[in-house]
Amino acid sequence: MVGRVPTLGPTRVRFTSDRTAPVAGAWYPYTADLACELGNLSAAVSPLIGDITSISVNWQNYRRFPGLDSSDSPAIPPLMTITTPQTTATVLVIPCRTSSSLAAVLLRLAGDTELLDGQAHSLETLRGRRILSLAGQYLQEQESAAAGR
């Protein structure tokens, strides 16, 4: 079967109910080969926000991204902007090298999903809130810079 991408599992993506939020959701791909997973992402996202007309990203080479819990994690987490005829939503792309525990918390936080018992004050939750805050600050700075032009 040449050209067929194996299904790795369910698409791990969550959105907040407010699609206009600075970070409106998160996606946790299985691999660093995002091109192979975009079809599954598109299929999972389209019923939630509409048919995708464009996708843009804020990084040069995703394959080089360490996990978001790594000491050499970038100051600005990877973000993807998904545009449909109805809306534009920015999602945090959680590098596949990120620990599954932090990724699970980030998916819950970005999707406004209730945290599990005992997670509210955990180190992973504190990291997750910091990562989402950095992403939001970056987006606000970009918006301010664009308005100033």
Side-chain angles (χ1 to χ4, degrees), residues 8-9 13 18 24 26 37 58 64 71 82 88 132 134 136 147:
L8 300 170
V13 64
D18 180 8
E37 295 193 47
N58 78 327
R64 292 185 184 168
S71 61
I82 302 172
T88 297
L132 289 170
L134 289 171

Side-chain angles (χ1 to χ4, degrees), residues 22-23 26 68-69 75 77 92 94 101-138:
V23 179
L68 293 177
D69 47 1
L92 171 71
I94 304 166
S101 59
L102 177 57
V105 166
L106 282 165
L107 286 166
R108 286 181 170 284
L109 290 172
D112 284 338
T113 306
E114 195 172 317
L115 294 170
L116 301 174
D117 288 339
Q119 281 186 324
H121 304 291
S122 71
L123 177 60
E124 300 294 33
T125 300
L126 294 174
R127 283 182 179 164
R129 290 185 200 282
R130 183 183 57 76
I131 290 165
L132 289 170
S133 176
L134 289 171
Q137 288 172 6
Y138 169 78

Side-chain angles (χ1 to χ4, degrees), residues 26-110:
W27 175 41
Y28 185 32
Y30 288 92
T31 69
D33 190 358
L34 297 185
C36 285
E37 295 193 47
L38 281 178
N40 290 340
L41 175 67
S42 178
V45 168
S46 291
L48 300 172
I49 65 172
D51 293 330
I52 296 172
T53 56
S54 71
I55 293 177
S56 62
V57 296
N58 78 327
W59 64 84
Q60 296 294 323
N61 189 342
Y62 181 78
R63 289 178 188 261
R64 292 185 184 168
F65 265 77
L68 293 177
D69 47 1
S70 170
S71 61
D72 58 344
S73 180
I76 301 164
L79 299 167
M80 175 183 286
T81 302
I82 302 172
T83 304
T84 71
Q86 298 83 16
T87 191
T88 297
T90 300
V91 297
L92 171 71
V93 180
I94 304 166
C96 60
R97 293 174 186 89
T98 302
S99 70
S100 59
S101 59
L102 177 57
V105 166
L106 282 165
L107 286 166
R108 286 181 170 284
L109 290 172

